[in-house]
């Protein structure tokens, strides 16, 4: 158990709908990352938050948005869903917002399976 | 050119073999390198972390960075069937952005 909690584990929804994925980071971690993993693609970086502020942005679609709340949990909102959005969405957390020579402990949750039908 | 490239395999070896997994990267300025293991679409599990160049060993696993060639490797000694998984290299490519390779699917046959 990595200590990163993601809900829901599985979600089936229709095209055009909106869903929210939730992530609770490891205790003490200030940074949260979101990744998308499709069948035909590797882990694609979406966005990172550090202590409530957006730190880095990847190839996140405009239909997707995220935020990190004062209690450090994060939510990824996916709207106007398309079939191609079906994927595993992972959240990861780390203590700091930047890599350190002393070590980086970035741990992943078990993911949220999203199926768009 | 992709920032991080990894041969997806698949790679199949007999139990007890030494496994070599590799990635190349595009920018010699990258300094933070990691290896993750992922079992059938479960959450990636951090295996090794290396800063800058050189080797790092942890049990049966050795991570190696060759900055002159922009090449990183993960070696698994005495491989076991339980090592069968997808192995992903990951590099901090821009500030705190962690970029993954495509992953190499490994099967260790008993």
């Amino acid at each position: 158990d990595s200590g990163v909690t993601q809900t829901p584990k599985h979600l089936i929804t229709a095209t055009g709908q909106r869903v929210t994925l939730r992530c609770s980071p490891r205790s003490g971690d200030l940074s949260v990352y979101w990744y998308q993993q499709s069948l035909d693609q590797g882990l694609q970086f979406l966005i990172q938050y550090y202590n409530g502020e957006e730190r880095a942005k990847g190839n996140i679609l405009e239909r997707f948005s995220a935020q990190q709340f004062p209690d450090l949990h994060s939510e990824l909102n996916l709207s106007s869903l398309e079939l191609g959005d079906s994927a595993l969405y992972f959240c990861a957390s780390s203590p700091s917002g930047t890599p350190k020579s002393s070590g980086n402990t970035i741990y992943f949750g078990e993911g949220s399976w999203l199926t768009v039908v | 050119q992709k920032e991080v490239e990894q041969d997806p395999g698949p790679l199949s070896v007999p139990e007890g073999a030494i496994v070599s997994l590799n990635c190349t990267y595009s920018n010699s300025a990258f300094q933070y390198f990691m290896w993750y293991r992922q079992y059938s679409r479960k959450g990636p599990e951090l295996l090794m972390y290396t800063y800058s160049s050189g080797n790092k060993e942890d049990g049966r696993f050795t991570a190696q960075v060759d900055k002159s060639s922009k090449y990183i490797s993960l070696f698994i000694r005495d491989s076991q069937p339980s090592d069968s998984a997808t192995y992903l290299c990951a590099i901090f490519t821009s500030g705190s952005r962690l970029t993954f390779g495509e992953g190499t699917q490994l099967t260790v046959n008993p």
Side-chain angles (χ1 to χ4, degrees), chain A residues 6-33:
Chain A
Q6 290 187 246
T7 56
K9 288 185 169 36
H10 300 272
L11 190 56
I12 301 174
T13 190
T15 54
Q17 294 298 304
R18 171 190 169 96
V19 299
T20 297
L21 309 180
R22 182 188 168 99
C23 171
S24 294
R26 285 158 45 95
S27 177
D29 284 359
L30 299 178
S31 191
V32 168
Y33 305 76

Side-chain angles (χ1 to χ4, degrees), chain A residues 20-106:
Chain A
T20 297
L21 309 180
R22 182 188 168 99
C23 171
S24 294
R26 285 158 45 95
S27 177
D29 284 359
L30 299 178
S31 191
V32 168
Y33 305 76
W34 285 98
Y35 282 83
Q36 180 192 54
Q37 188 174 41
S38 306
L39 276 176
D40 58 350
Q41 290 192 6
L43 277 161
Q44 301 296 316
F45 171 70
L46 295 177
I47 199 163
Q48 180 208 2
Y49 281 83
Y50 176 75
N51 204 20
E53 299 290 325
E54 183 182 304
R55 175 62 66 94
K57 206 166 186 176
N59 299 324
I60 187 168
L61 299 172
E62 285 192 12
R63 300 183 285 109
F64 296 0
S65 65
Q67 60 185 119
Q68 186 179 27
F69 294 87
D71 67 353
L72 301 177
H73 92 272
S74 178
E75 292 182 356
L76 178 66
N77 300 296
L78 314 174
S79 61
S80 302
L81 284 167
E82 302 175 358
L83 295 178
D85 297 327
S86 296
L88 251 176
Y89 290 85
F90 286 109
C91 171
S93 74
S94 68
S96 71
T98 52
K100 298 185 184 303
S101 59
S102 56
N104 273 66
T105 51
I106 297 178

